[in-house]
Amino acid sequence: MSTLHPDLEKVLLTEEELKARVAQLGEEISRDYAGKEPVLVAILRGSYVFMADLSRALDILCRVDFMSVSSYGASATSSGQVNIIKDLSDSIEGRDVIVVEDILDTGNTLHYLFQILQARHPASLKLCVLLDKPSRRTKPISADYVGFTVPDEFVVGYGLDYNEHYRNLPYIGVLKREVYAKD
Ligand code: PRP
């Protein structure tokens, strides 16, 4: 097991736990989409590690595409509006789409994004999240595939950041309060 980063209070999910659960999700999705060719749509940047591992855990034909979004800013956050910074490369019309996200928190981002994607007439649209924080939800959205349900703690690693740091940690840990409290 990797050494604990000094900015972290504890490890929440080890590399081994993540690997085992991602393999299970891969099996489940491969079963559900047998004979189909889903498009995995990763929402950058947090999902890049999960996307890389999940896509390799599938044993069916699939495509990958990427989208980058951001909140409009503090005043617009409550309305849940998001800004598309990078759109998908290909059309999703008539395709089976699985959105791949690192974390479902308030639900603002994905609730809005799903409206955008649904309007493009995919054959189906599902959501796969590595982490679910249901205690924070303010929008009516839930995931079809969930890796782990986590408590309301500041989690980083395996793609998740704080100020763009810690994304490359191979495990998921809880950030020490003193690290983010000073900002
Ligand atoms: C994270 C995550 C989701 C969103 C979830 O992205 O990847 O997109 O927040 O939060 P919500 O449910 O409250 O909308 P973030 O904005 O941190 O960007 P990043 O993926 O580039 O780190």
Side-chain angles (χ1 to χ4, degrees):
M1 203 183 112
S2 328
T3 340
L4 183 64
H5 189 288
D7 290 351
L8 300 190
E9 185 181 301
K10 63 177 178 190
V11 173
L12 192 64
L13 297 163
T14 66
E15 214 173 328
E16 292 74 18
E17 286 168 329
L18 289 164
K19 194 172 176 199
R21 185 66 187 123
V22 172
Q24 285 176 345
L25 287 172
E27 280 171 27
E28 205 181 323
I29 292 172
S30 298
R31 248 193 336 267
D32 293 352
Y33 288 81
K36 297 184 175 171
E37 189 186 319
V39 188
L40 305 180
V41 168
I43 313 303
L44 298 170
R45 285 176 249 183
S47 62
Y48 80 102
V49 180
F50 182 39
M51 174 68 146
D53 285 348
L54 182 69
S55 60
R56 287 178 295 174
L58 298 185
D59 60 6
I60 51 169
L61 273 183
C62 70
R63 293 168 180 244
V64 296
D65 209 339
F66 301 87
M67 206 167 175
S68 182
V69 301
S70 76
S71 293
Y72 275 126
S75 60
T77 309
S78 55
S79 67
Q81 291 247 310
V82 297
N83 187 15
I84 298 180
I85 295 169
K86 180 219 171 293
D87 207 337
L88 296 172
S89 296
D90 298 332
S91 164
I92 54 166
E93 189 173 347
R95 294 206 173 271
D96 293 302
V97 174
I98 306 172
V99 171
V100 176
E101 256 292 27
D102 52 333
I103 188 163
L104 179 55
D105 193 0
T106 64
N108 278 331
T109 311
L110 288 164
H111 186 259
Y112 188 75
L113 192 65
F114 262 58
Q115 292 175 26
I116 295 174
L117 296 177
Q118 201 73 66
R120 297 181 185 182
H121 306 295
S124 65
L125 182 59
K126 301 269 188 194
L127 174 60
C128 176
V129 298
L130 179 68
L131 306 180
D132 187 11
K133 257 189 196 178
S135 57
R136 295 253 309 159
R137 199 85 82 253
T138 57
K139 287 281 158 56
I141 181 165
S142 59
D144 302 283
Y145 302 95
V146 174
F148 301 90
T149 299
V150 293
D152 187 13
E153 293 187 290
F154 205 130
V155 286
V156 295
Y158 198 76
L160 292 115
D161 77 310
Y162 170 62
N163 272 351
E164 294 308 324
H165 293 151
Y166 317 110
R167 291 196 199 270
N168 59 323
L169 293 175
Y171 53 85
I172 290 180
V174 175
L175 197 61
K176 283 180 183 166
R177 185 171 293 274
E178 68 211 52
V179 177
Y180 57 89
K182 66 182 180 211
D183 288 337

